[in-house]
Amino acid sequence: MRSGDEPRAGMRTEGDLVGALRQAADRAPEPDLLAGVGERKRRRTRRRAQLLAAAAVVVVVGAGTAATKVIFASGGGEGIGTDARPTAEEDRGAVAEPTVTQGLGEGPETAEPTTTRIVTVTPRRPAGTPIGRLWPKALFQMPAKNADGWRYRPVTGINATEVLLMAESSFEKAGKIEIYDTKTGKARLVAEVPATKGLKEYFPQSATTDGTNVAWYASGTDKDRNRVAEVWWAPLSGGKAQKIHTTTEYAIDAIGLDGDQVVWSAVKGGVQRKPLVGSTIELLSNEDLHLIRWPWAGDIGDGPDTLEANQTKIVNLAEGTETKITIKPGTTGLRCGPTWCHGRLDDRGIIQRPDGSGFRRLPGAGFMNGLSPYPILDRFLQSGDTVYDLNTGKQAVITRVGSWGGVGTSSEASTIVYWGVTKEQKPAKYWMLNLAAVPPGQ
C-alpha cells in the first residue's frame, strides 16, 4: 500500500475513513487482467492486480478497533470482472455514496467486542467524451473467432484499417496469425504459428509489425528444464513462418523490426539485431537497455522492482544518440517515449516532455497503459475505460455492456482496446478501438 493510501494520524470518524477510502478508490486503476497473454504478460498483470489488492484493505487502530475491507467496483480485464454495471446516474458522472455495513465481532475474552465495518466504495466514473463520438472512425465491430472457430487475440493496429490478430485453437495455443480489414469486413491468413517439437510450456509471446512483416518471440522448456527463447518472423503478405534465433542464455523482453532485420532486447539488458535472412547477430548495445519501440530504447526493464523506478534516458538505437530525461523531485514510475512521458508525483498522475517541459498534473493516480507502461504511439495513455490524448488533452471514455475488457498483446504499447458487443465472457463479436485510426489533430 502506498503511504498516501494509509489512514491519516488521528482519523477516528466514519466520515474520515470513508473519505480516505474514496481517495484510495479514485487512485486505484482498473487492472488489465488478460487471460492467455503469455508468461511476461501474466507476471505484469499479477503485479498490477497485487497493487490493487494492496490498496483495497485498510486497518484502523484507535481507542477501539475498526477492521475495514474495501471492495473496488471495477471492470477488470478479459475474462475477469464483475457483472455489476454502472447505474444510469453513474454513467452520467454521478457518484454513488459509499455503503457501510456494521456488525459485532468476537474480540479477546478480556477485551470489548470489536466493531467491523465493510465499506463498499465505488470509484468515480471518469469524465470524458464517449469513444464513438470523439473518434468514430477508430471504433468498429469484428468477429471474435476466425473461420475455424478459433478465438482471436488482438495484437495491434497495423494501420487505420487493418488489425493484426493471433487466432488460438485453445487457451494459450496460438495457431495462426491473421489480419482483419475493416474496409472489407474480412480476415485473411498471414502465417501458421509453429510450435517447436520437444519444448514444453511453449507459448508465442509478444509480436510486433512494421506494416511489411510480423515478428514475435516464443518461449518454452526443453527436456533438461532449461528455458528456451526463440525469434520468428513472417511476411504480412502471407508465407511460412521462419525461426531465425534460439537461445537458452537469456530471456527476451521486447522485439521490434528494422527493415529487413529483427531487433530484440534481453530481460537483463542488451539489444541485438539479426537479418531476416542471414546468420550474423549484431550487438547494438550491451548496456542495460530495453526496447520500447524501434528505434527507441530505455534504461528500465520489466520487473517487480522497477514499478516505482524512473526512466532516466531514451536512446535512439538507429542514430546512436541518447537523451537524458529531466525528472522532478518526488516523481515515481516515469516512462518516456521520444515525445511524451508519464508517471506519478505526490500520488497524482503527471505528464511531461523528456526535457521536463509541458508538465501537467492529471486527475487520479495516472494511467497503467494496458500491458506496456509507455505512451501508445507516443501519444495516448490508456487505463481501464479511459483513453487520454496527450497531444490534444482530450479524454475518451468507454461504456461496456459486459464485465470485461482487454488490450492488444504487442511488444510495444498496443493501439488496440477491445471488449464484448454483448455481456457474455466469450461473445461472438468484439468492439475494437484502434488508436492507429485516430487522425493527428482529432
Side-chain angles (χ1 to χ4, degrees):
M1 179 181 297
R2 295 187 298 268
S3 60
D5 292 336
E6 294 175 355
R8 298 183 303 272
M11 184 189 303
R12 293 293 182 269
T13 71
E14 179 181 301
D16 287 341
L17 178 60
V18 169
L21 297 178
R22 166 69 71 196
Q23 293 175 9
D26 287 342
R27 283 194 293 266
E30 294 189 38
D32 293 300
L33 304 176
L34 304 182
V37 293
E39 180 180 313
R40 181 173 72 93
K41 306 303 183 186
R42 289 196 298 270
R43 288 200 304 268
R44 183 182 293 168
T45 299
R46 282 199 297 270
R47 291 201 303 274
R48 294 181 181 185
Q50 287 164 359
L51 287 178
L52 270 183
V57 179
V58 178
V59 179
V60 181
V61 179
T65 301
T68 304
K69 174 183 178 183
V70 188
I71 305 168
F72 293 111
S74 66
E78 182 177 349
I80 306 292
T82 172
D83 289 333
R85 302 301 305 147
T87 65
E89 287 298 317
E90 291 171 320
D91 242 355
R92 289 196 293 268
V95 181
E97 288 302 312
T99 59
V100 180
T101 303
Q102 178 173 318
L104 294 179
E106 292 295 331
E109 292 183 4
T110 58
E112 292 296 320
T114 61
T115 301
T116 301
R117 289 178 171 84
I118 298 178
V119 182
T120 303
V121 182
T122 304
R124 290 179 172 85
R125 297 281 291 172
T129 305
I131 288 282
R133 192 170 10 172
L134 186 58
W135 301 319
K137 293 182 179 180
L139 187 64
F140 63 95
Q141 292 185 15
M142 63 162 284
K145 295 181 179 180
N146 72 356
D148 300 312
W150 297 1
R151 185 158 292 277
Y152 282 132
R153 184 74 55 187
V155 179
T156 195
I158 300 171
N159 50 47
T161 60
E162 293 181 311
V163 177
L164 189 67
L165 307 162
M166 286 278 189
E168 298 181 347
S169 58
S170 60
F171 181 65
E172 292 197 346
K173 296 292 183 182
K176 295 180 179 180
I177 297 175
E178 299 185 18
I179 292 174
Y180 182 80
D181 190 331
T182 61
K183 292 187 296 185
T184 64
K186 296 180 180 180
R188 65 173 179 85
L189 177 67
V190 172
E192 305 276 351
V193 179
T196 301
K197 293 182 179 180
L199 293 184
K200 298 181 179 180
E201 302 170 358
Y202 188 84
F203 188 76
Q205 304 280 337
S206 297
T208 187
T209 182
D210 61 356
T212 302
N213 298 303
V214 57
W216 66 96
Y217 64 96
S219 66
T221 305
D222 66 17
K223 60 182 178 60
D224 297 319
R225 301 302 298 168
N226 296 312
R227 294 298 295 172
V228 179
E230 300 177 338
V231 177
W232 293 78
W233 77 277
L236 287 184
S237 58
K240 185 178 179 180
Q242 303 291 328
K243 180 169 60 177
I244 64 170
H245 184 60
T246 302
T247 183
T248 58
E249 296 179 1
Y250 53 83
I252 296 172
D253 69 357
I255 191 168
L257 280 160
D258 174 21
D260 60 355
Q261 301 185 89
V262 181
V263 185
W264 63 88
S265 58
V267 169
K268 293 186 178 181
V271 184
Q272 301 180 68
R273 179 168 63 185
K274 186 176 182 180
L276 300 177
V277 180
S279 59
T280 302
I281 294 180
E282 179 186 2
L283 181 64
L284 294 178
S285 174
N286 58 6
E287 292 184 69
D288 187 14
L289 293 179
H290 305 268
L291 199 61
I292 299 171
R293 175 189 175 102
W294 177 260
W296 307 101
D299 59 342
I300 292 293
D302 177 31
D305 56 340
T306 63
L307 287 175
E308 299 297 305
N310 293 315
Q311 179 184 349
T312 65
K313 62 184 176 182
I314 183 166
V315 178
N316 186 323
L317 294 167
E319 299 178 357
T321 58
E322 179 179 305
T323 301
K324 294 291 185 182
I325 297 170
T326 300
I327 305 171
K328 286 185 178 293
T331 299
T332 61
L334 193 68
R335 297 293 184 272
C336 299
T339 308
W340 285 106
C341 308
H342 75 107
R344 296 177 302 281
L345 178 63
D346 299 328
D347 283 337
R348 289 279 304 278
I350 61 166
I351 58 173
Q352 65 172 64
R353 307 282 188 176
D355 65 2
S357 64
F359 179 87
R360 297 202 303 270
R361 293 183 183 271
L362 299 175
F367 290 79
M368 300 293 278
N369 228 39
L371 298 176
S372 171
Y374 298 96
I376 303 162
L377 298 176
D378 204 27
R379 176 182 174 183
F380 301 99
L381 300 176
Q382 180 269 331
S383 187
D385 290 342
T386 304
V387 181
Y388 182 79
D389 188 337
L390 291 159
N391 289 348
T392 66
K394 295 178 181 178
Q395 183 160 293
V397 293
I398 298 168
T399 300
R400 295 176 283 114
V401 297
S403 58
W404 64 270
V407 295
T409 58
S410 57
S411 179
E412 63 277 357
S414 176
T415 69
I416 297 297
V417 183
Y418 67 105
W419 59 98
V421 170
T422 54
K423 66 180 181 179
E424 290 84 6
Q425 290 293 88
K426 294 184 177 181
K429 288 186 175 183
Y430 293 144
W431 273 113
M432 301 275 284
L433 170 65
N434 180 14
L435 293 171
V438 179
Q442 188 172 328

mmCIF file of all heavy atoms in Angstrom, residues 364-399:
data_model
loop_
_atom_site.group_PDB
_atom_site.id
_atom_site.type_symbol
_atom_site.label_atom_id
_atom_site.label_comp_id
_atom_site.label_asym_id
_atom_site.label_seq_id
_atom_site.Cartn_x
_atom_site.Cartn_y
_atom_site.Cartn_z
ATOM 1 N N GLY A 364 -6.406 11.767 -10.590
ATOM 2 C CA GLY A 364 -6.164 10.398 -10.144
ATOM 3 C C GLY A 364 -4.684 10.051 -10.137
ATOM 4 O O GLY A 364 -3.802 10.901 -10.185
ATOM 5 N N ALA A 365 -4.412 8.740 -10.096
ATOM 6 C CA ALA A 365 -3.043 8.257 -9.937
ATOM 7 C C ALA A 365 -2.348 8.026 -11.261
ATOM 8 O O ALA A 365 -1.255 7.485 -11.305
ATOM 9 C CB ALA A 365 -3.041 6.961 -9.125
ATOM 10 N N GLY A 366 -2.969 8.427 -12.369
ATOM 11 C CA GLY A 366 -2.321 8.258 -13.660
ATOM 12 C C GLY A 366 -2.864 7.052 -14.407
ATOM 13 O O GLY A 366 -3.914 6.512 -14.081
ATOM 14 N N PHE A 367 -2.114 6.614 -15.399
ATOM 15 C CA PHE A 367 -2.576 5.581 -16.309
ATOM 16 C C PHE A 367 -1.650 4.375 -16.261
ATOM 17 O O PHE A 367 -0.439 4.508 -16.334
ATOM 18 C CB PHE A 367 -2.625 6.124 -17.744
ATOM 19 C CG PHE A 367 -3.714 7.141 -17.956
ATOM 20 C CD1 PHE A 367 -3.559 8.455 -17.543
ATOM 21 C CD2 PHE A 367 -4.905 6.781 -18.557
ATOM 22 C CE1 PHE A 367 -4.554 9.396 -17.741
ATOM 23 C CE2 PHE A 367 -5.906 7.710 -18.761
ATOM 24 C CZ PHE A 367 -5.730 9.018 -18.348
ATOM 25 N N MET A 368 -2.258 3.173 -16.166
ATOM 26 C CA MET A 368 -1.479 1.951 -16.191
ATOM 27 C C MET A 368 -1.033 1.617 -17.613
ATOM 28 O O MET A 368 -0.054 0.936 -17.836
ATOM 29 C CB MET A 368 -2.308 0.786 -15.637
ATOM 30 C CG MET A 368 -2.778 0.978 -14.204
ATOM 31 S SD MET A 368 -1.429 0.989 -13.036
ATOM 32 C CE MET A 368 -1.182 -0.769 -12.827
ATOM 33 N N ASN A 369 -1.818 2.066 -18.628
ATOM 34 C CA ASN A 369 -1.465 1.921 -20.036
ATOM 35 C C ASN A 369 -1.414 0.475 -20.491
ATOM 36 O O ASN A 369 -0.483 0.054 -21.170
ATOM 37 C CB ASN A 369 -0.138 2.599 -20.332
ATOM 38 C CG ASN A 369 -0.223 3.471 -21.568
ATOM 39 O OD1 ASN A 369 -1.233 4.133 -21.766
ATOM 40 N ND2 ASN A 369 0.799 3.477 -22.387
ATOM 41 N N GLY A 370 -2.432 -0.294 -20.160
ATOM 42 C CA GLY A 370 -2.510 -1.660 -20.658
ATOM 43 C C GLY A 370 -1.333 -2.497 -20.216
ATOM 44 O O GLY A 370 -0.946 -2.500 -19.059
ATOM 45 N N LEU A 371 -0.713 -3.229 -21.156
ATOM 46 C CA LEU A 371 0.381 -4.128 -20.815
ATOM 47 C C LEU A 371 1.748 -3.491 -21.008
ATOM 48 O O LEU A 371 2.762 -4.108 -20.739
ATOM 49 C CB LEU A 371 0.285 -5.394 -21.673
ATOM 50 C CG LEU A 371 -0.996 -6.206 -21.455
ATOM 51 C CD1 LEU A 371 -1.044 -7.371 -22.412
ATOM 52 C CD2 LEU A 371 -1.089 -6.675 -20.024
ATOM 53 N N SER A 372 1.786 -2.271 -21.484
ATOM 54 C CA SER A 372 3.053 -1.555 -21.632
ATOM 55 C C SER A 372 2.958 -0.238 -20.879
ATOM 56 O O SER A 372 1.936 0.443 -20.934
ATOM 57 C CB SER A 372 3.343 -1.279 -23.112
ATOM 58 O OG SER A 372 4.458 -0.419 -23.248
ATOM 59 N N PRO A 373 4.021 0.139 -20.168
ATOM 60 C CA PRO A 373 3.964 1.399 -19.412
ATOM 61 C C PRO A 373 4.224 2.638 -20.245
ATOM 62 O O PRO A 373 4.129 3.748 -19.735
ATOM 63 C CB PRO A 373 5.064 1.204 -18.365
ATOM 64 C CG PRO A 373 6.073 0.337 -19.050
ATOM 65 C CD PRO A 373 5.268 -0.599 -19.920
ATOM 66 N N TYR A 374 4.542 2.470 -21.531
ATOM 67 C CA TYR A 374 4.918 3.612 -22.357
ATOM 68 C C TYR A 374 3.723 4.173 -23.119
ATOM 69 O O TYR A 374 2.763 3.458 -23.415
ATOM 70 C CB TYR A 374 6.018 3.199 -23.339
ATOM 71 C CG TYR A 374 7.271 2.763 -22.638
ATOM 72 C CD1 TYR A 374 7.523 1.418 -22.396
ATOM 73 C CD2 TYR A 374 8.194 3.699 -22.181
ATOM 74 C CE1 TYR A 374 8.666 1.014 -21.728
ATOM 75 C CE2 TYR A 374 9.334 3.309 -21.506
ATOM 76 C CZ TYR A 374 9.561 1.963 -21.280
ATOM 77 O OH TYR A 374 10.694 1.568 -20.604
ATOM 78 N N PRO A 375 3.745 5.466 -23.457
ATOM 79 C CA PRO A 375 2.646 6.057 -24.218
ATOM 80 C C PRO A 375 2.421 5.325 -25.542
ATOM 81 O O PRO A 375 3.367 4.969 -26.242
ATOM 82 C CB PRO A 375 3.121 7.501 -24.452
ATOM 83 C CG PRO A 375 4.052 7.784 -23.319
ATOM 84 C CD PRO A 375 4.749 6.480 -23.060
ATOM 85 N N ILE A 376 1.162 5.081 -25.879
ATOM 86 C CA ILE A 376 0.788 4.394 -27.107
ATOM 87 C C ILE A 376 1.005 5.336 -28.279
ATOM 88 O O ILE A 376 0.479 6.458 -28.296
ATOM 89 C CB ILE A 376 -0.680 3.957 -27.048
ATOM 90 C CG1 ILE A 376 -0.931 3.065 -25.827
ATOM 91 C CG2 ILE A 376 -1.100 3.240 -28.329
ATOM 92 C CD1 ILE A 376 -2.391 2.936 -25.447
ATOM 93 N N LEU A 377 1.792 4.899 -29.263
ATOM 94 C CA LEU A 377 2.141 5.734 -30.419
ATOM 95 C C LEU A 377 2.766 7.060 -29.990
ATOM 96 O O LEU A 377 2.720 8.041 -30.717
ATOM 97 C CB LEU A 377 0.902 6.005 -31.300
ATOM 98 C CG LEU A 377 0.233 4.771 -31.920
ATOM 99 C CD1 LEU A 377 -1.016 5.182 -32.680
ATOM 100 C CD2 LEU A 377 1.201 4.047 -32.857
ATOM 101 N N ASP A 378 3.336 7.064 -28.780
ATOM 102 C CA ASP A 378 3.913 8.281 -28.212
ATOM 103 C C ASP A 378 2.876 9.399 -28.159
ATOM 104 O O ASP A 378 3.217 10.587 -28.254
ATOM 105 C CB ASP A 378 5.138 8.733 -29.002
ATOM 106 C CG ASP A 378 6.088 9.590 -28.170
ATOM 107 O OD1 ASP A 378 6.098 9.428 -26.940
ATOM 108 O OD2 ASP A 378 6.794 10.424 -28.760
ATOM 109 N N ARG A 379 1.605 9.009 -27.952
ATOM 110 C CA ARG A 379 0.518 9.991 -27.987
ATOM 111 C C ARG A 379 -0.588 9.718 -26.975
ATOM 112 O O ARG A 379 -1.146 10.666 -26.414
ATOM 113 C CB ARG A 379 -0.088 10.023 -29.387
ATOM 114 C CG ARG A 379 -1.297 10.937 -29.512
ATOM 115 C CD ARG A 379 -1.907 10.910 -30.891
ATOM 116 N NE ARG A 379 -3.150 11.692 -30.924
ATOM 117 C CZ ARG A 379 -3.942 11.805 -31.984
ATOM 118 N NH1 ARG A 379 -3.618 11.203 -33.116
ATOM 119 N NH2 ARG A 379 -5.051 12.528 -31.919
ATOM 120 N N PHE A 380 -0.936 8.456 -26.740
ATOM 121 C CA PHE A 380 -2.100 8.120 -25.915
ATOM 122 C C PHE A 380 -1.695 7.410 -24.624
ATOM 123 O O PHE A 380 -0.708 6.679 -24.578
ATOM 124 C CB PHE A 380 -3.063 7.195 -26.673
ATOM 125 C CG PHE A 380 -3.595 7.754 -27.955
ATOM 126 C CD1 PHE A 380 -3.040 7.397 -29.173
ATOM 127 C CD2 PHE A 380 -4.670 8.639 -27.951
ATOM 128 C CE1 PHE A 380 -3.529 7.897 -30.365
ATOM 129 C CE2 PHE A 380 -5.165 9.155 -29.136
ATOM 130 C CZ PHE A 380 -4.596 8.790 -30.349
ATOM 131 N N LEU A 381 -2.530 7.614 -23.587
ATOM 132 C CA LEU A 381 -2.450 6.843 -22.347
ATOM 133 C C LEU A 381 -3.786 6.150 -22.153
ATOM 134 O O LEU A 381 -4.835 6.730 -22.411
ATOM 135 C CB LEU A 381 -2.156 7.753 -21.154
ATOM 136 C CG LEU A 381 -0.852 8.553 -21.193
ATOM 137 C CD1 LEU A 381 -0.764 9.467 -19.971
ATOM 138 C CD2 LEU A 381 0.361 7.632 -21.252
ATOM 139 N N GLN A 382 -3.740 4.906 -21.697
ATOM 140 C CA GLN A 382 -4.980 4.139 -21.523
ATOM 141 C C GLN A 382 -4.960 3.405 -20.200
ATOM 142 O O GLN A 382 -3.931 2.858 -19.779
ATOM 143 C CB GLN A 382 -5.141 3.126 -22.663
ATOM 144 C CG GLN A 382 -6.388 2.268 -22.584
ATOM 145 C CD GLN A 382 -6.160 0.958 -21.831
ATOM 146 O OE1 GLN A 382 -5.055 0.425 -21.825
ATOM 147 N NE2 GLN A 382 -7.192 0.446 -21.184
ATOM 148 N N SER A 383 -6.097 3.401 -19.531
ATOM 149 C CA SER A 383 -6.255 2.608 -18.323
ATOM 150 C C SER A 383 -7.733 2.341 -18.108
ATOM 151 O O SER A 383 -8.547 3.274 -18.123
ATOM 152 C CB SER A 383 -5.679 3.334 -17.104
ATOM 153 O OG SER A 383 -5.690 2.471 -15.975
ATOM 154 N N GLY A 384 -8.096 1.063 -17.943
ATOM 155 C CA GLY A 384 -9.499 0.735 -17.735
ATOM 156 C C GLY A 384 -10.350 1.219 -18.886
ATOM 157 O O GLY A 384 -10.124 0.887 -20.043
ATOM 158 N N ASP A 385 -11.324 2.057 -18.592
ATOM 159 C CA ASP A 385 -12.267 2.549 -19.589
ATOM 160 C C ASP A 385 -11.948 3.975 -20.044
ATOM 161 O O ASP A 385 -12.818 4.674 -20.548
ATOM 162 C CB ASP A 385 -13.691 2.516 -19.018
ATOM 163 C CG ASP A 385 -14.197 1.100 -18.847
ATOM 164 O OD1 ASP A 385 -13.620 0.198 -19.474
ATOM 165 O OD2 ASP A 385 -15.155 0.889 -18.091
ATOM 166 N N THR A 386 -10.714 4.403 -19.874
ATOM 167 C CA THR A 386 -10.336 5.773 -20.201
ATOM 168 C C THR A 386 -9.129 5.801 -21.132
ATOM 169 O O THR A 386 -8.177 5.047 -20.941
ATOM 170 C CB THR A 386 -9.993 6.561 -18.915
ATOM 171 O OG1 THR A 386 -11.100 6.508 -18.021
ATOM 172 C CG2 THR A 386 -9.689 8.005 -19.240
ATOM 173 N N VAL A 387 -9.188 6.660 -22.144
ATOM 174 C CA VAL A 387 -8.051 6.893 -23.035
ATOM 175 C C VAL A 387 -7.808 8.401 -23.092
ATOM 176 O O VAL A 387 -8.736 9.179 -23.325
ATOM 177 C CB VAL A 387 -8.306 6.352 -24.452
ATOM 178 C CG1 VAL A 387 -7.081 6.609 -25.336
ATOM 179 C CG2 VAL A 387 -8.638 4.868 -24.415
ATOM 180 N N TYR A 388 -6.565 8.811 -22.871
ATOM 181 C CA TYR A 388 -6.211 10.230 -22.837
ATOM 182 C C TYR A 388 -5.269 10.547 -23.986
ATOM 183 O O TYR A 388 -4.267 9.853 -24.205
ATOM 184 C CB TYR A 388 -5.548 10.567 -21.499
ATOM 185 C CG TYR A 388 -5.178 12.025 -21.332
ATOM 186 C CD1 TYR A 388 -6.144 12.962 -20.985
ATOM 187 C CD2 TYR A 388 -3.864 12.452 -21.520
ATOM 188 C CE1 TYR A 388 -5.806 14.302 -20.837
ATOM 189 C CE2 TYR A 388 -3.522 13.786 -21.362
ATOM 190 C CZ TYR A 388 -4.496 14.708 -21.026
ATOM 191 O OH TYR A 388 -4.171 16.029 -20.873
ATOM 192 N N ASP A 389 -5.589 11.588 -24.736
ATOM 193 C CA ASP A 389 -4.770 12.026 -25.865
ATOM 194 C C ASP A 389 -3.793 13.099 -25.379
ATOM 195 O O ASP A 389 -4.192 14.216 -25.033
ATOM 196 C CB ASP A 389 -5.670 12.577 -26.971
ATOM 197 C CG ASP A 389 -4.913 12.886 -28.260
ATOM 198 O OD1 ASP A 389 -3.687 13.092 -28.189
ATOM 199 O OD2 ASP A 389 -5.558 12.923 -29.326
ATOM 200 N N LEU A 390 -2.515 12.773 -25.336
ATOM 201 C CA LEU A 390 -1.508 13.695 -24.841
ATOM 202 C C LEU A 390 -1.353 14.920 -25.734
ATOM 203 O O LEU A 390 -1.015 16.009 -25.263
ATOM 204 C CB LEU A 390 -0.161 12.973 -24.731
ATOM 205 C CG LEU A 390 -0.066 11.901 -23.643
ATOM 206 C CD1 LEU A 390 1.069 10.945 -23.948
ATOM 207 C CD2 LEU A 390 0.127 12.533 -22.281
ATOM 208 N N ASN A 391 -1.607 14.760 -27.024
ATOM 209 C CA ASN A 391 -1.428 15.871 -27.955
ATOM 210 C C ASN A 391 -2.538 16.909 -27.871
ATOM 211 O O ASN A 391 -2.298 18.113 -27.989
ATOM 212 C CB ASN A 391 -1.331 15.351 -29.386
ATOM 213 C CG ASN A 391 -0.026 14.620 -29.650
ATOM 214 O OD1 ASN A 391 0.903 14.680 -28.847
ATOM 215 N ND2 ASN A 391 0.054 13.931 -30.771
ATOM 216 N N THR A 392 -3.779 16.448 -27.689
ATOM 217 C CA THR A 392 -4.917 17.364 -27.694
ATOM 218 C C THR A 392 -5.484 17.644 -26.310
ATOM 219 O O THR A 392 -6.255 18.581 -26.138
ATOM 220 C CB THR A 392 -6.046 16.800 -28.565
ATOM 221 O OG1 THR A 392 -6.558 15.594 -27.961
ATOM 222 C CG2 THR A 392 -5.551 16.480 -29.973
ATOM 223 N N GLY A 393 -5.132 16.812 -25.318
ATOM 224 C CA GLY A 393 -5.694 16.965 -23.983
ATOM 225 C C GLY A 393 -7.108 16.417 -23.865
ATOM 226 O O GLY A 393 -7.750 16.574 -22.826
ATOM 227 N N LYS A 394 -7.602 15.742 -24.903
ATOM 228 C CA LYS A 394 -8.956 15.184 -24.860
ATOM 229 C C LYS A 394 -8.950 13.812 -24.186
ATOM 230 O O LYS A 394 -7.996 13.051 -24.323
ATOM 231 C CB LYS A 394 -9.524 15.066 -26.274
ATOM 232 C CG LYS A 394 -9.722 16.407 -26.974
ATOM 233 C CD LYS A 394 -10.235 16.214 -28.386
ATOM 234 C CE LYS A 394 -10.420 17.559 -29.095
ATOM 235 N NZ LYS A 394 -10.877 17.379 -30.495
ATOM 236 N N GLN A 395 -10.039 13.533 -23.477
ATOM 237 C CA GLN A 395 -10.172 12.255 -22.790
ATOM 238 C C GLN A 395 -11.424 11.537 -23.277
ATOM 239 O O GLN A 395 -12.510 12.109 -23.298
ATOM 240 C CB GLN A 395 -10.236 12.461 -21.279
ATOM 241 C CG GLN A 395 -10.292 11.152 -20.479
ATOM 242 C CD GLN A 395 -9.879 11.357 -19.037
ATOM 243 O OE1 GLN A 395 -8.716 11.654 -18.754
ATOM 244 N NE2 GLN A 395 -10.816 11.203 -18.121
ATOM 245 N N ALA A 396 -11.257 10.297 -23.694
ATOM 246 C CA ALA A 396 -12.363 9.484 -24.184
ATOM 247 C C ALA A 396 -12.686 8.398 -23.175
ATOM 248 O O ALA A 396 -11.796 7.889 -22.479
ATOM 249 C CB ALA A 396 -12.007 8.855 -25.525
ATOM 250 N N VAL A 397 -13.962 8.043 -23.084
ATOM 251 C CA VAL A 397 -14.387 7.003 -22.150
ATOM 252 C C VAL A 397 -15.133 5.909 -22.908
ATOM 253 O O VAL A 397 -15.805 6.155 -23.901
ATOM 254 C CB VAL A 397 -15.270 7.567 -21.019
ATOM 255 C CG1 VAL A 397 -14.470 8.481 -20.120
ATOM 256 C CG2 VAL A 397 -16.484 8.293 -21.584
ATOM 257 N N ILE A 398 -14.975 4.693 -22.412
ATOM 258 C CA ILE A 398 -15.615 3.513 -22.979
ATOM 259 C C ILE A 398 -16.743 3.074 -22.061
ATOM 260 O O ILE A 398 -16.563 2.994 -20.843
ATOM 261 C CB ILE A 398 -14.601 2.363 -23.126
ATOM 262 C CG1 ILE A 398 -13.473 2.760 -24.084
ATOM 263 C CG2 ILE A 398 -15.289 1.081 -23.598
ATOM 264 C CD1 ILE A 398 -12.295 1.806 -24.057
ATOM 265 N N THR A 399 -17.900 2.804 -22.626
ATOM 266 C CA THR A 399 -19.003 2.224 -21.868
ATOM 267 C C THR A 399 -19.218 0.801 -22.362
ATOM 268 O O THR A 399 -19.578 0.593 -23.519
ATOM 269 C CB THR A 399 -20.301 3.032 -22.034
ATOM 270 O OG1 THR A 399 -20.074 4.363 -21.556
ATOM 271 C CG2 THR A 399 -21.440 2.406 -21.241
#
